Each structure stands twice: as structure tokens, then as C-alpha cells.
Amino acid sequence: MTEPTRYSTPPIELPLRLDGEPDPVVGCAGCSELADVRSRARAGGDMTTVSDCNVFMRRHPEGH
């Protein structure tokens, strides 16, 4: 086993995403549904779901 770190380590810095939200692909039912869910979630103040929809749109199974 390894010994635990006994000294202070610097904090991990995560990159700040400045790119905008993904746009739905025209003609894709999955993208359209995610965009609709995202809009309703934003209107209701549910930013966790907004973020989840953005991730799903970026990782769309069709590759777009």
C-alpha cells in the first residue's frame, strides 16, 4: 500500500467552459426533445436538468 500524502497539495483547477449551449440538430427528434426539456427546466429554475440536457446533446448517440 502507499503512504498517505502528509503535506498540503495545491488545489486542482478545472477548466472553465465558456462555449455556449449546444444547438439541436435540425430534423433530429432526440435533439428536439432535449431542447424542449431544457427550455422547460430553465423556465422552472431547474439548472441541474438544463446542464444534464446540454451534456446529453453534446454526447448524442448519433454522433452529432
Side-chain angles (χ1 to χ4, degrees):
M1 289 181 48
T2 61
E3 285 292 316
T5 304
R6 301 208 185 275
Y7 53 88
S8 180
T9 58
I12 297 172
E13 292 188 31
L14 300 175
L16 177 62
R17 290 193 75 131
L18 296 176
D19 51 344
E21 291 184 334
D23 294 323
V25 175
V26 177
C28 176
C31 287
S32 295
E33 179 64 24
L34 285 169
D36 290 342
V37 171
R38 181 176 64 185
S39 294
R40 289 191 302 271
R42 181 175 285 114
D46 183 2
M47 298 310 287
T48 300
T49 301
V50 170
S51 177
D52 289 345
C53 289
N54 288 338
V55 170
F56 290 139
M57 288 177 79
R58 285 189 182 99
R59 296 180 181 175
H60 196 282
E62 306 263 349
H64 54 258

